Amino acid sequence: LDEGSSIADEQQIAKEGIQTGIKNGDYLIANDSIQSIRDIPLPLTDENGLFGTETANKIEVKYAYELDYSASGDPQPIPSDLELAMNEEVIRSLMASSNSSVVGLSVSPEDKILGLPCRPRTPGSLCTVVEGSMTIFLEEGAMSGYEDVLALETIQLGMDTDAFILANDNINDVRYV
């Protein structure tokens, strides 16, 4: 990239490289500093939580989690912040897979706080159950395989290792259920 290139330019080139790589099965390096999928600047998704391309060939992935949040905080914005963080990790996992026919990923449908109580594991926290979901878009005509399983495994591992705790200041703990 030129010295005058902005971070937004680098992110767009990285996204285009990944998207092209998805279709070709090869992962393109957008510039010399990007050696792996982990080197690509965040966010990978656009302002609407979409990465790549939407197609009619899609898989909706559903999951649930318990959310411990600060008693002084508002839980309403937390699921959307968590969704973005989770989707970033799922994108990275799917892109690292050589057999993937994924061309896009979306945070839609929106995660919903169910209002079901749960027992907080963090002192001073409140707890609620959240229904999460995302949509994986596949190449037209491609058969879905393991993409939903890999997405769920990535989300569960991220929750188990506290990878999403920093998505919102009011998050104290997140547990896959």
Side-chain angles (χ1 to χ4, degrees):
L1 291 177
D2 298 338
E3 285 184 31
S5 295
S6 70
I7 296 294
D9 293 337
E10 288 183 28
Q11 289 173 334
Q12 186 60 36
I13 290 168
K15 284 184 196 179
E16 289 170 4
I18 289 175
Q19 291 168 350
T20 303
I22 294 168
K23 292 185 182 231
N24 297 335
D26 297 317
Y27 297 102
L28 303 179
I29 303 301
N31 72 33
D32 292 339
S33 68
I34 298 175
Q35 298 300 316
S36 77
I37 196 91
R38 289 253 170 237
D39 295 333
I40 296 171
L42 295 176
L44 296 173
T45 56
D46 66 16
E47 62 278 357
N48 298 314
L50 174 67
F51 168 80
T53 306
E54 293 179 291
T55 64
N57 190 7
K58 59 188 176 184
I59 306 166
E60 188 172 317
V61 179
K62 292 187 173 276
Y63 51 95
Y65 58 94
E66 292 179 345
L67 170 64
D68 284 8
Y69 62 95
S70 172
S72 62
D74 178 10
Q76 294 305 316
I78 296 174
S80 61
D81 293 341
L82 272 171
E83 266 185 319
L84 290 173
M86 287 184 236
N87 276 17
E88 297 289 339
E89 283 304 307
V90 170
I91 290 166
R92 291 177 187 279
S93 292
L94 291 170
M95 297 310 101
S97 172
S98 62
N99 297 325
S100 177
S101 58
V102 174
V103 295
L105 182 79
S106 173
V107 296
S108 295
E110 189 174 310
D111 288 6
K112 298 176 196 151
I113 294 177
L114 299 178
L116 301 172
C118 51
R119 180 170 295 190
R121 295 188 185 161
T122 310
S125 293
L126 299 175
C127 186
T128 191
V129 177
V130 179
E131 178 186 69
S133 58
M134 66 178 57
T135 304
I136 299 171
F137 298 98
L138 304 174
E139 292 175 354
E140 292 299 338
M143 298 291 289
S144 65
Y146 62 91
E147 292 88 0
D148 54 343
V149 173
L150 181 57
L152 291 172
E153 287 174 351
T154 301
I155 291 166
Q156 184 173 7
L157 179 63
M159 289 182 184
D160 290 348
T161 61
D162 293 335
F164 308 126
I165 292 287
L166 299 177
N168 183 294
D169 290 340
N170 289 314
I171 298 172
N172 293 329
D173 192 24
V174 183
R175 296 172 302 280
Y176 187 89
V177 293

